[in-house]
Amino acid sequence: MSAPSPAPTEKGILQFLEICDSFYPTHAVEASVEQQRNWYDALCARFDRPLPPDMIFADGMVQRIPIRRYRPRKISTRSILLYLHGGGFVVGSLESHHAICAEIADAAGAELVSVDYRLAPEYRWPAQTDDGFAVLKHLLAASNKVVLIGDSAGGNLAAGLVLRAHDEELSGIVGQVLIYPVLGGDLDAGSYVEMAEAPGLTTADVAYYRQILQAPTGNPIAEPLSASSLAGLPPAFITVAHFDPLRDDGRHYAARLVEAGVEVGFREEPQMVHAWLRARHMSDGARDGFRAVCEAVRRFAA
């Protein structure tokens, strides 16, 4: 008999997982991509929240790439926040992270731009990083200081964009905030084994997303953990969930950044699972974690 899967005990996060299971089946990746997106959209709508007071947002385009700009009632910095959403590179949109982006912008007192990058399998790698990079270059060209933020797959894109900008000697990125990022770790080691059946995301799910994206193995833009050097990168804040197969990706990347002399803030949320951002209004642990994310963003933007 196999050992039971590790699981959190915090009441709020257990309630969150129960709601998630009612909207998004455990084996969702076995369904069609269209069905996955329908389930995910319904799940995101369930956790939707009213935007902060006086928040202004508007949709636009950078080249052919849809974006959404958020402008809070109080702007305290000229830095721009660039947000890349999660969803395994397969699901997610401007709508899926709408309230999350608005709340981060409001907390940081900064304008935020969210990117509706192309999704797999219709568009394989590097379409996603190319879209993000086009928007990043657009913002930097306007002499903006930029803070890159991403969760899960978006954390992968954000970390990759930082490396890509460094390789091309682009200046102006003042911080990177990576929220339970997927960074190319070994699926047969560490938390990918320990948390293989964790609630919310399994190692089998991660393998599915890798297969569908078809990013090249060992490419540091696609798998930042494979980068030969992380020296000279902007400061980082990385937060991971304990009950998450992706946990060690963030742990190891934070350690490598420190070794390279990069300023790093790191948090491991002890009772959290993957995608805990959506639980920020119902879980004490998620609320604390989200507050730490917002504080890091505000500090980098300032």
Side-chain angles (χ1 to χ4, degrees):
M1 179 179 296
S2 60
S5 300
T9 57
E10 192 214 88
K11 182 178 179 180
I13 209 69
L14 292 176
Q15 181 185 4
F16 167 72
L17 287 169
E18 184 177 343
I19 295 171
C20 289
D21 288 344
S22 70
F23 280 87
Y24 204 77
T26 303
H27 301 292
V29 297
E30 297 174 4
S32 69
V33 168
E34 180 182 11
Q35 180 64 76
Q36 290 180 51
R37 290 173 182 164
N38 289 339
W39 282 331
Y40 190 74
D41 290 347
L43 173 65
C44 295
R46 167 60 179 80
F47 290 106
D48 206 10
R49 300 280 297 190
L51 299 193
D54 302 322
M55 174 65 64
I56 299 170
F57 70 92
D59 292 345
M61 300 284 284
V62 171
Q63 299 176 22
R64 51 169 171 67
I65 306 154
I67 64 167
R68 180 169 292 172
R69 289 183 178 269
Y70 298 83
R71 188 174 179 83
R73 57 182 172 178
K74 182 179 180 182
I75 298 287
S76 58
T77 175
R78 295 182 63 183
S79 297
I80 304 292
L81 316 178
L82 180 57
Y83 197 96
L84 291 308
H85 69 77
F89 311 101
V90 174
V91 300
S93 65
L94 297 178
E95 296 301 329
S96 66
H97 288 62
H98 184 50
I100 290 169
C101 287
E103 290 173 31
I104 291 174
D106 188 66
E111 184 175 343
L112 183 148
V113 175
S114 179
V115 183
D116 197 14
Y117 58 85
R118 289 171 289 174
L119 298 176
E122 295 89 342
Y123 300 96
R124 311 285 188 174
W125 196 91
Q128 298 73 24
T129 181
D130 285 348
D131 287 354
F133 198 55
V135 177
L136 174 62
K137 287 195 296 184
H138 173 79
L139 295 177
L140 293 175
S143 299
N144 291 309
K145 301 294 185 183
V146 174
V147 179
L148 275 162
I149 313 165
D151 70 285
S152 193
N156 170 281
L157 294 174
L161 291 178
V162 169
L163 289 167
R164 195 167 172 180
H166 183 263
D167 289 345
E168 298 197 16
E169 299 183 348
L170 296 179
S171 61
I173 299 175
V174 293
Q176 52 180 320
V177 176
L178 313 180
I179 305 163
Y180 37 80
V182 53
L183 300 170
D186 182 355
L187 297 188
D188 295 318
S191 57
Y192 282 110
V193 175
E194 181 187 352
M195 298 294 170
E197 299 296 331
L201 183 75
T202 67
T203 298
D205 294 338
V206 179
Y208 164 83
Y209 293 131
R210 283 192 184 183
Q211 187 278 328
I212 208 167
L213 183 65
Q214 295 186 6
T217 302
N219 183 304
I221 308 304
E223 299 181 343
L225 276 169
S226 70
S228 59
S229 174
L230 301 178
L233 297 186
F237 175 83
I238 301 174
T239 180
V240 300
H242 179 75
F243 297 98
D244 186 350
L246 303 182
R247 183 192 66 208
D248 287 357
D249 277 21
R251 277 183 181 176
H252 295 156
Y253 201 61
R256 286 203 56 203
L257 287 168
V258 169
E259 290 172 1
V262 177
E263 175 195 334
V264 180
F266 177 79
R267 278 178 66 108
E268 180 175 321
E269 303 300 340
Q271 282 291 310
M272 292 300 99
V273 297
H274 194 74
W276 59 255
L277 275 183
R278 299 199 185 282
R280 66 198 182 281
H281 294 292
M282 61 186 300
S283 155
D284 290 340
R287 187 177 296 109
D288 290 345
F290 186 65
R291 185 181 301 116
V293 165
C294 291
E295 288 173 355
V297 172
R298 183 169 59 245
R299 180 167 56 86
F300 290 152

